Amino acid sequence: MKKFDINEDPHRRYNPLIKEWVLVSPHRSKRPWQGQNEAVSNITLPSYDPECYLCPGNVRANGEINDSYENSFVFDNDFAALKQDEIIQEIESENTFFCAKSERGISKVVCFSPNHGLTLPELSVAEIENVINTWQKEYTLLGAIDYINHVQIFENKGSVMGCSNPHPHGQIWAQSSLPTQVEKTHSSLSEYFEKKRTNLLLDYLEEELKIKERIVIENDYFVALVPFWAIWPFETMILPKRNISKITALTETEKTAFATILKQLTTKYDNLFNTSFPYSSGIHQAPTDGKLHPEWLIHMHFYPPLLRSASVKKFMVGYEMMGESQRDITPEKSAEALRNCSVIHFKNK
Ligand code: H2U
């Protein structure tokens, strides 16, 4: 019988955050690395687009006019997925077959910059710090509303991710329930804390920092790594090195360090295939239920769909839909590829 080699043999890896497995098939990605062969796609957008509903001073779909903003700008989503109205629950919520619960919440759009032609990696560290200030402000404001227990900050970047507009922006959905992914993470973090009185993600990070092979980039306060259990080819996670449960707990120095690693990671992403790298990213952090959450560690997920080039995308289909997530390139190889990318944006070379 052959001895198991994690770099060669098909195997499954466990994600302790959401208690799911991923099938890894390293033997299928034997082909040489092709990322560097891409042609540079250097599309430059104007800094102002009169047709863009996110540009300063422009009219949105509902007729409202955007502020003539100079930094970031937040507005209530005109097509919000959630409503603030209090609704008396009349549908039976415990029915096995027809279980439904009303959900209350607020959806906002956050413009990262007045400049239509830039993306997150192209903003300066100071400009990204300003975006973080806005996230902090919204987490505080929304979290203070009595029925809001969770604030989800996220970004969809690129049309391949369903993003409707290249103007740099993200969204915030705040609601009364913990959404499914967060609920799963919350329960794992809580269970671990109950048992060990330590933080699952901080303990995990400590181990990763000893091994080093999945670390993409780090500074004094933050680490960006490809999780051991990543499902997307170039999935990453940003974690703080100390016990920070929510975005409002960052010191000024940590805010700068967070902005720096965000800029560097997203720049590396763009440099990987010389393209504006699409992804969905989101910050997972403590619920806003008024309780202390020592079990929580703020972390930011990046789920990019690209596989081998600017145009070859991974599809979560077939076996992934019917069985479980599967990947060929190992997280270790992905981390190495990202580590080897420059932190100077290809457009500036
Ligand atoms: P995406 O590009 O990531 O889909 O986000 C844009 C959001 O902006 C989207 O949720 C909202 C859409 O509902 N929007 C407005 O609120 N007002 C508009 O005038 C157009 C789009």
Side-chain angles (χ1 to χ4, degrees):
M1 207 186 295
K2 187 175 163 279
K3 198 167 167 268
F4 169 58
D5 179 351
I6 201 165
N7 298 308
E8 298 282 337
D9 299 322
H11 61 277
R12 293 167 83 210
R13 296 189 185 193
Y14 183 66
N15 179 344
L17 279 182
I18 53 168
K19 298 186 178 171
E20 283 184 11
W21 293 83
V22 50
L23 178 64
V24 187
S25 314
H27 56 293
R28 293 218 308 183
S29 58
K30 277 274 143 59
R31 58 189 163 252
W33 175 246
Q34 295 172 334
Q36 305 309 320
N37 301 335
E38 289 301 310
V40 178
S41 88
N42 227 337
I43 303 162
T44 310
L45 294 170
S47 57
Y48 171 75
D49 176 354
E51 299 300 318
C52 169
Y53 56 78
L54 299 179
C55 276
N58 286 5
V59 183
R60 295 206 305 276
N62 69 351
E64 269 184 52
I65 297 171
N66 293 331
D67 290 357
S68 297
Y69 63 98
E70 289 177 1
N71 294 303
S72 39
F73 172 60
V74 181
F75 64 89
D76 283 338
N77 197 313
D78 303 315
F79 307 96
L82 293 151
K83 288 184 180 176
Q84 303 188 42
D85 315 337
E86 206 167 349
I87 292 173
I88 297 161
Q89 179 89 38
E90 282 176 352
I91 302 166
E92 215 185 312
S93 66
E94 302 306 330
N95 187 302
T96 307
F97 303 116
F98 309 107
C99 174
K101 292 179 182 177
S102 73
E103 185 68 10
R104 231 177 139 192
I106 299 168
S107 307
K108 295 192 175 187
V109 178
V110 182
C111 301
F112 297 160
S113 160
N115 190 324
H116 181 83
L118 297 179
T119 59
L120 200 61
E122 296 166 279
L123 301 184
S124 67
V125 169
E127 286 166 332
I128 299 176
E129 274 184 69
N130 186 61
V131 174
I132 299 170
N133 285 337
T134 307
W135 288 338
Q136 288 179 318
K137 198 172 141 205
E138 290 300 324
Y139 181 85
T140 304
L141 275 175
L142 292 163
I145 299 170
D146 58 353
Y147 71 87
I148 297 288
N149 293 307
H150 182 255
V151 177
Q152 184 59 60
I153 295 165
F154 65 98
E155 179 190 1
N156 276 336
K157 179 168 173 261
S159 54
V160 70
M161 297 307 292
C163 180
S164 58
N165 188 328
H167 192 112
H169 71 283
Q171 297 192 45
I172 301 178
W173 293 14
Q175 63 188 102
S176 51
S177 305
L178 295 190
T180 308
Q181 294 302 323
V182 180
E183 172 62 46
K184 285 184 181 180
T185 302
H186 180 65
S187 117
S188 304
L189 295 176
S190 305
E191 263 174 41
Y192 188 91
F193 189 80
E194 282 302 306
K195 238 189 265 165
K196 305 214 176 206
R197 310 312 291 172
T198 57
N199 190 295
L200 185 156
L201 279 171
L202 267 187
D203 287 358
Y204 166 64
L205 180 59
E206 201 182 310
E207 294 305 312
E208 286 287 22
L209 285 170
K210 283 184 207 156
I211 306 167
K212 295 265 185 238
E213 64 178 340
R214 282 174 292 274
I215 308 294
V216 173
I217 193 162
E218 74 173 294
N219 59 37
D220 288 345
Y221 304 94
F222 286 89
V223 178
L225 52 78
V226 179
F228 178 74
W229 51 80
I231 62 171
W232 293 96
F234 294 97
E235 177 178 334
T236 58
M237 181 159 68
I238 297 179
L239 299 151
K241 288 183 175 174
R242 76 166 177 100
N243 203 349
I244 302 172
S245 67
K246 52 189 180 182
I247 197 159
T248 45
L250 295 176
T251 63
E252 285 303 307
T253 317
E254 285 166 342
K255 202 191 297 174
T256 309
F258 185 31
T260 306
I261 206 163
L262 258 174
K263 180 173 170 66
Q264 291 176 332
L265 178 65
T266 51
T267 299
K268 278 173 174 283
Y269 270 150
D270 280 9
N271 288 341
L272 188 65
F273 299 130
N274 288 328
T275 194
S276 181
F277 204 76
Y279 57 73
S280 272
S281 69
I283 295 175
H284 280 168
Q285 54 186 324
T288 56
D289 53 7
K291 295 184 190 139
L292 283 176
H293 284 286
E295 74 283 12
W296 264 92
L297 190 78
I298 186 172
H299 54 284
M300 186 162 187
H301 292 287
F302 282 83
Y303 299 149
L306 296 187
L307 176 61
R308 263 200 306 279
S309 72
S311 54
V312 180
K313 168 184 180 294
K314 177 177 175 58
F315 291 96
M316 286 285 186
V317 294
Y319 180 82
E320 279 98 342
M321 279 182 162
M322 299 301 151
E324 65 192 14
S325 302
Q326 185 272 344
R327 61 181 295 140
D328 294 346
I329 182 172
T330 62
E332 296 71 42
K333 287 258 179 264
S334 303
E336 189 187 349
L338 286 170
R339 225 175 10 249
N340 290 338
C341 289
S342 170
V343 290
I344 311 291
H345 199 276
F346 71 84
K347 285 188 186 170
N348 297 328
K349 277 184 185 160

